[in-house]
Amino acid sequence: MRAPFAAFVVEPLDTIQRSPPTQGQIMKIIDKTYPILLSLAAAFALPACGDDDDGDDDGVTAADDGDDDDGDDGADDGGGPAPGALNCDVPSDRIDPTAAMAWSSADFAALGDNRSGNAGVGTQQTTASTRYVSASNGDDGNDGSEGSPWRSLQHAADAIEPGTTVRVDDSGDYTGGLELHRSGEASAWFIFRPWDDDTMPRIVGDPGSTAVVDIDASYIVFQGFEVTDHDSGSLDADTIGIQIEPRNGDITDVEIRNNVVHNIGPGQVDDDTCYYNGHGINAQSEGSSISRLVIDGNEIFDLYVGNSEVLVVNGAVEGFCVTNNYVHDVNNIAIDIIGYEKNANETTRDGVISDNVVLDASNYWPYCSRGNCTYPAGDESSDGIYVDGGAKLAIEYNVVGRADHGIELQSENGELIRDVEVAHNVVFNSNYKNFTLGDSENSTEHDNVFFDDPALADAELEGCK
């Protein structure tokens, strides 16, 4: 959640003071680094899997790409890769920030469209068996074969064994949502995806449930669905498109890929004040942990977000990729990485937030109206990308346009931002400020492009100011 704008003190970049490290901090770095150097020396003779020798397969060598070569593509934090570190997807159309200054608004929107919602692109996981679901031709009394498909998603989720892909057709709406509470195995995942990868099955939520898709399980792929039209019917209840939350112990290896999530929340609210939380994709954990989480290639739009965030990673989440997503036309924070909110000892860490496109994330959406009645009139508190707590994060090669704040690093919960690198991003036409760095430790900003070009401003939005 984001406090109203008036509660924030935003410090200009040229006034930020960064103190040199203390002797104690230096000794901690040495203590962390020495054993890692020994292990790297032992492994150095082995070639990297990628063609650029820095392990991230982005075609750029470690000397050129500014990452720290430790497997997490984050700041130079002195640590090695986290256990089971992820290699996040790097798009073939990764932007050149300087060249992107010449782009039009339509160019940026096209980039977001090209990267998201492509059901046939995504997971590399495969399974030994396949079952089928059809809204128009299925029956839950069938055997789930291609010629005798099931009718309901939930029946399929409850009936299959680990190592099964469920192929779903687009012959009708799947109502009532989907709960994935059974785990696959490291060598035998559960995969849910379209029957035909040129189609996109549509899942509609149940007003009696919080989330359209609720995941509390490991080794899950959910890919290529339209998740939409979910309203809990109450202005004081959370409403979520896709939720990942462990309730019965740690979960690992969850992939949310290439879905389109829209029209989540109560819709336009005319009240002077209200309270609601409409999330698109919400990964959150307290006590138990989420690890090896991938949120990639999703398009999220037309959400009435209220006090909350569109795509959020919150709490005990370690090792994650938020990549290639397109978030647009929402009335609060588009991408939020939150630490220390649920538990003072837990923060999101070891994450990559890269190659996302965020356009039109503002408390004034729709334009020229009170787009968000949970905030006072005149407030400009929505961020394109917001880090509220967090450690060992890389924020790179993102596009953020026409948000209230472009990229902001703060902490509402009393802890410093730690070891965050913000690099090679394009941020333009923010209503308040393109970039803000609050209290932090070992965090850097470099090689970003920030600009305000009237040619890229939306004429209707400009008329509101």
Side-chain angles (χ1 to χ4, degrees):
M1 175 180 173
R2 174 63 181 273
F5 169 69
F8 275 78
V9 177
V10 181
E11 189 174 21
L13 285 175
D14 58 3
T15 66
I16 295 173
Q17 300 296 318
R18 295 182 174 87
S19 301
T22 65
Q23 183 176 1
Q25 290 171 328
I26 292 172
M27 292 306 297
K28 288 181 180 179
I29 293 171
I30 292 172
D31 288 343
K32 289 166 51 181
T33 304
Y34 182 70
I36 294 164
L37 290 174
L38 291 179
S39 62
L40 287 175
F44 191 74
L46 297 175
C49 295
D51 57 7
D52 54 0
D53 290 332
D54 66 357
D56 57 10
D57 288 352
D58 62 2
V60 183
T61 64
D64 296 331
D65 66 4
D67 68 29
D68 59 348
D69 238 6
D70 67 0
D72 61 4
D73 283 356
D76 190 2
D77 48 34
L86 289 168
N87 287 321
C88 299
D89 292 353
V90 175
S92 60
D93 58 355
R94 172 165 271 186
I95 59 169
D96 175 341
T98 303
M101 290 183 68
W103 288 20
S104 68
S105 291
D107 291 332
F108 288 118
L111 180 69
D113 281 331
N114 290 337
R115 288 184 180 172
S116 63
N118 302 310
V121 179
T123 186
Q124 299 301 306
Q125 303 299 329
T126 59
T127 63
S129 65
T130 304
R131 291 291 180 267
Y132 297 85
V133 175
S134 172
S136 62
N137 298 316
D139 188 309
D140 287 344
N142 291 341
D143 62 10
S145 63
E146 186 172 5
S148 183
W150 290 319
R151 167 64 182 84
S152 68
L153 286 173
Q154 194 60 55
H155 176 80
D158 295 339
I160 59 176
E161 296 298 322
T164 303
T165 294
V166 177
R167 292 277 190 172
V168 183
D169 77 6
D170 68 338
S171 61
D173 287 356
Y174 297 89
T175 60
L178 174 64
E179 294 183 351
L180 299 177
H181 295 169
R182 297 170 58 230
S183 292
E185 300 170 1
S187 59
W189 289 51
F190 288 130
I191 300 175
F192 287 77
R193 64 184 304 166
W195 191 319
D196 181 343
D197 283 337
D198 291 330
T199 66
M200 183 164 280
R202 174 183 165 100
I203 306 180
V204 178
D206 179 351
S209 63
T210 299
V212 181
V213 179
D214 184 81
I215 300 173
D216 174 15
S218 299
Y219 305 107
I220 299 288
V221 175
F222 183 78
Q223 174 177 308
F225 289 83
E226 180 185 6
V227 178
T228 187
D229 293 343
H230 186 42
D231 179 2
S232 66
S234 172
L235 289 182
D236 58 1
D238 286 359
T239 305
I240 301 169
I242 302 172
Q243 175 166 274
I244 308 99
E245 182 176 17
R247 303 177 185 89
N248 299 293
D250 300 343
I251 63 175
T252 186
D253 291 273
V254 177
E255 299 183 7
I256 308 299
R257 292 183 179 271
N258 304 106
N259 303 286
V260 174
V261 183
H262 65 99
N263 292 96
I264 306 295
Q268 180 66 51
V269 180
D270 296 325
D271 297 356
D272 289 338
T273 59
C274 63
Y275 181 90
Y276 61 91
N277 291 317
H279 298 281
I281 300 175
N282 180 29
Q284 62 180 11
S285 185
E286 179 182 4
S288 299
S289 68
I290 303 172
S291 61
R292 298 181 56 80
L293 170 69
V294 175
I295 302 174
D296 180 88
N298 303 281
E299 181 180 7
I300 315 174
F301 64 96
D302 284 3
L303 265 69
Y304 285 83
V305 188
N307 278 304
S308 212
E309 309 87 17
V310 177
L311 195 168
V312 57
V313 179
N314 186 356
V317 184
E318 180 173 355
F320 64 92
C321 305
V322 174
T323 49
N324 303 299
N325 300 286
Y326 180 29
V327 184
H328 60 99
D329 295 292
V330 295
N331 72 348
N332 209 350
I333 300 166
I335 297 175
D336 198 0
I337 310 301
I338 305 174
Y340 310 109
E341 179 182 72
K342 294 183 171 296
N343 186 308
N345 298 315
E346 295 177 346
T347 190
T348 50
R349 59 183 300 114
D350 295 301
V352 175
I353 304 94
S354 73
D355 303 289
N356 302 285
V357 176
V358 175
L359 300 175
D360 300 306
S362 171
N363 294 153
Y364 277 87
W365 176 81
Y367 296 154
C368 300
S369 70
R370 271 300 285 294
N372 191 335
C373 56
T374 66
Y375 286 82
D379 189 84
E380 294 180 334
S381 294
S382 181
D383 290 41
I385 298 176
Y386 183 36
V387 176
D388 174 15
K392 294 184 67 178
L393 306 175
I395 302 172
E396 55 189 10
Y397 294 99
N398 300 284
V399 171
V400 180
R402 297 188 302 270
D404 291 340
H405 295 250
I407 297 176
E408 181 175 9
L409 280 63
Q410 296 278 7
S411 184
E412 299 178 27
N413 303 301
E415 289 287 341
L416 296 176
I417 304 290
R418 291 184 170 86
D419 302 303
V420 178
E421 183 179 31
V422 181
H424 308 292
N425 300 283
V426 174
V427 185
F428 62 91
N429 291 98
S430 301
N431 291 335
Y432 181 71
K433 193 168 185 178
N434 287 323
F435 179 74
T436 302
L437 175 62
D439 291 338
S440 65
E441 180 180 273
N442 299 328
S443 296
T444 60
E445 176 270 313
H446 63 89
D447 296 301
N448 298 286
V449 173
F450 307 124
F451 64 98
D452 293 289
D453 184 343
L456 284 174
D458 185 282
E460 188 175 0
L461 178 59
E462 288 299 304
C464 302
K465 292 184 176 180

